Amino acid sequence: MAVAGRIEEVRSEIDGLAESLPTAQRLMQAMVKLLHDRMLKYNWVGFYLLEPGAQPPMLVLGAFEGAMTPHTRIPLNQGICGAAASSGLTVVVDDVSKDPRYLACSLETKSEIVVPVFVHGKVVGELDIDSHFPAAFTAEHQALVQHCAMLVGKKLETSGQ
Ligand code: SME
């Protein structure tokens, strides 16, 4: 199937999950599994959530699919994860070996996307995806991953954790 068709199909399945699952926790778990299983180049998929009240602020690993990562807690001044959460912007890195911010998770990782999750306009966490393929996160993929992060933010707003 062409990439655009697959993205459309996965997007509508994810919309279905967001409608049917009652909590953000269950949505995040189902979402990481679906993205990891169905998108061939999404080799590690996980959420990091800001630890409530932590000073300095800390991203803590939540639901994920893929190999265990050494980075279960990431301060905001470290990594591509820290850059996305502190700026509130999507970060796409086509070649992680050229980005000095990159914290290595797997030697096979070649590219990465991190999209912040917002609740009432504030960053509360992020969706992080690693690929074994260089430049895997083209504009269509960015739109899909941003849509996923938006759905989790909405679910947190309406249903809590
Ligand atoms: N590569 C990330 C660390 C998390 S792992 O990819 C799961 C970073 O540079 O922040």
Side-chain angles (χ1 to χ4, degrees):
M1 184 188 295
V3 173
R6 177 175 292 269
I7 287 179
E8 263 320 298
E9 202 180 277
V10 166
R11 185 183 162 116
S12 67
E13 285 179 40
I14 282 180
D15 287 342
L17 293 177
E19 271 170 39
S20 64
L21 295 174
T23 65
Q25 190 53 43
R26 288 188 52 194
L27 177 59
M28 288 188 278
Q29 272 162 358
M31 199 179 262
V32 295
K33 181 156 175 40
L34 194 146
L35 290 172
H36 184 260
D37 288 355
R38 300 289 302 284
M39 301 304 287
L40 299 178
K41 295 187 178 181
Y42 294 16
N43 302 112
W44 189 95
V45 183
F47 283 91
Y48 284 91
L49 296 176
L50 278 172
E51 192 167 42
Q55 268 322 317
M58 189 66 70
L59 291 160
V60 179
L61 182 63
F64 74 96
E65 284 284 327
M68 187 57 201
T69 169
H71 303 294
T72 55
R73 295 172 67 80
I74 304 176
L76 291 200
N77 61 355
Q78 285 182 26
I80 294 162
C81 287
S86 57
S87 65
L89 298 172
T90 293
V91 180
V92 176
V93 179
D94 286 341
D95 178 353
V96 293
S97 73
K98 297 211 169 95
D99 193 319
R101 300 170 298 182
Y102 175 64
L103 297 171
C105 199
S106 146
L107 289 176
E108 289 174 296
T109 298
K110 301 286 190 299
S111 61
E112 179 163 7
I113 183 171
V114 186
V115 178
V117 172
F118 292 91
V119 167
H120 300 304
K122 282 197 172 160
V123 176
V124 297
E126 60 195 20
L127 176 52
D128 177 17
I129 306 182
D130 292 353
S131 180
H132 296 170
F133 300 81
F137 303 104
T138 57
E140 297 100 314
H141 289 281
Q142 291 174 36
L144 173 67
V145 182
Q146 285 171 336
H147 183 68
C148 291
M150 181 276 294
L151 289 174
V152 169
K154 270 198 178 163
K155 185 64 84 178
L156 283 165
E157 283 177 4
T158 55
S159 319
Q161 293 276 334

